[in-house]
Amino acid sequence: MRNLFVGGSSEIAREIAKRIKNTDNLSRKSLRYYKKNFKVKDYSEISLKKILRKIKKKYKNILIFNGEYSNSFLSNFNEKIFVKALKINLFTPLLVAKLAIDNNILEKNGSIFFISSIASKNNQKGNAYYSISKKALELSAKILGEEQKLRKVRVNIINLGLVKNKMGLSTLKYLPKNKVEKAKFITKNKIVLSFKNILKKKINLKKVNIV
């Protein structure tokens, strides 16, 4: 069972890759945890097309980790920053999925996984652009999955809970003190074990919350 992690240089992707075999990486960095690295200059359509055309093997699972968090408020709406958030959290994952399908690098009955966040349903204050873009990604997974039924391509969404890292702590910045005190963090070990079960198809797919 071969896996391709897109955006595999992220902290969570690295933790998973350390313990899951037969995993390759497509990102801007080459990392020792992966069997093979496909280094991309950036995540523009031109760069992604160029690198994906070079991939000759097929994968059972393609996991797309691309995402970026920043504090934001709709009350202080900024079009430029909002579009940037959409591009990173929504447009790039959809572009990767399209190109992966077009270049036929998925095995028969293969799966595409968009890695998202519980922010897509919690809509916490101070996370406006991130929450909106992740909610849009969740809906996009459903639509793309329906469109790809005849080709037997499965499209799934994995929502990660709070991880005790810089990004996770940032999401709590604007919450009331009592909610911050009640916040539950998930361990990296739980994330890794959950992903192992997901990739082995031991749990029901489509949308999975790891909390």
Side-chain angles (χ1 to χ4, degrees), residues 78-92:
N78 182 300
E79 183 180 358
K80 185 177 180 180
I81 297 174
F82 190 21
V83 169
K84 180 184 176 183
L86 287 172
K87 184 175 181 181
I88 295 170
N89 297 317
L90 176 63
F91 301 163
T92 296

Side-chain angles (χ1 to χ4, degrees), residues 2-39 43 57 59 61 63-66 195 199:
R2 289 196 179 103
N3 309 301
L4 176 65
F5 285 9
V6 180
S9 61
S10 71
E11 181 184 353
I12 298 301
R14 293 197 311 268
E15 288 295 325
I16 299 167
K18 286 177 187 178
R19 290 166 58 183
I20 295 181
K21 297 178 180 179
N22 296 320
T23 298
D24 294 343
N25 168 45
L26 191 161
S27 73
R28 286 177 286 192
K29 296 180 181 178
S30 294
L31 298 164
R32 60 185 175 86
Y33 314 118
Y34 296 95
K35 191 172 182 180
K36 186 174 179 61
N37 286 279
F38 299 98
K39 196 171 181 181
Y43 293 104
K57 64 177 71 174
Y59 295 94
N61 304 297
L63 290 82
I64 305 172
F65 287 86
N66 290 69
F195 269 84
L199 296 178

Side-chain angles (χ1 to χ4, degrees), residues 12-211:
I12 298 301
R14 293 197 311 268
E15 288 295 325
I16 299 167
K18 286 177 187 178
R19 290 166 58 183
I20 295 181
K21 297 178 180 179
N22 296 320
T23 298
D24 294 343
N25 168 45
L26 191 161
S27 73
R28 286 177 286 192
K29 296 180 181 178
S30 294
L31 298 164
R32 60 185 175 86
Y33 314 118
Y34 296 95
K35 191 172 182 180
K36 186 174 179 61
N37 286 279
F38 299 98
K39 196 171 181 181
V40 66
K41 180 182 177 182
D42 53 45
Y43 293 104
S44 66
E45 185 169 3
I46 292 173
S47 295
L48 286 169
K49 274 184 177 179
K50 187 176 180 180
I51 195 69
L52 285 169
R53 283 172 181 165
K54 291 181 180 179
I55 298 177
K56 302 303 179 185
K57 64 177 71 174
K58 291 193 176 187
Y59 295 94
K60 189 68 177 177
N61 304 297
I62 296 177
L63 290 82
I64 305 172
F65 287 86
N66 290 69
E68 185 177 270
Y69 174 83
S70 63
N71 292 123
S72 56
F73 299 84
L74 290 182
S75 302
N76 298 324
F77 182 77
N78 182 300
E79 183 180 358
K80 185 177 180 180
I81 297 174
F82 190 21
V83 169
K84 180 184 176 183
L86 287 172
K87 184 175 181 181
I88 295 170
N89 297 317
L90 176 63
F91 301 163
T92 296
L94 289 175
L95 177 61
V96 170
K98 175 191 181 298
L99 293 175
I101 293 168
D102 289 350
N103 285 278
N104 199 31
I105 64 172
L106 267 178
E107 289 183 10
K108 187 177 180 181
N109 296 317
S111 296
I112 292 173
F113 292 89
F114 292 127
I115 311 305
S116 189
S117 165
I118 57 168
S120 66
K121 63 176 183 175
N122 288 353
N123 302 319
Q124 295 173 340
K125 179 183 177 183
N127 305 333
Y129 301 164
Y130 184 75
S131 295
I132 291 168
S133 57
K134 289 298 187 181
K135 188 66 179 179
L137 183 63
E138 186 175 311
L139 179 58
S140 298
K142 292 179 182 178
I143 295 171
L144 184 59
E146 287 297 318
E147 291 177 354
Q148 291 298 319
K149 265 187 178 179
L150 291 178
R151 297 174 74 173
K152 296 184 178 179
V153 172
R154 289 188 293 271
V155 183
N156 310 278
I157 196 92
I158 300 176
N159 290 322
L160 294 180
L162 281 173
V163 181
K164 204 165 189 177
N165 57 14
K166 185 178 179 181
M167 178 177 166
L169 293 171
S170 294
T171 64
L172 304 177
K173 187 175 179 180
Y174 297 98
L175 290 182
K177 186 177 179 181
N178 65 318
K179 286 191 176 184
V180 173
E181 291 172 348
K182 292 178 182 178
K184 293 181 180 180
F185 290 93
I186 51 171
T187 64
K188 291 177 182 178
N189 187 56
K190 181 177 180 180
I191 292 173
V192 172
L193 290 175
S194 296
F195 269 84
K196 285 179 112 173
N197 287 331
I198 289 167
L199 296 178
K200 290 177 181 177
K201 308 297 187 289
K202 287 185 178 179
I203 63 176
N204 187 36
L205 298 176
K206 284 298 181 187
K207 183 172 79 171
V208 181
N209 295 320
I210 303 176
V211 294

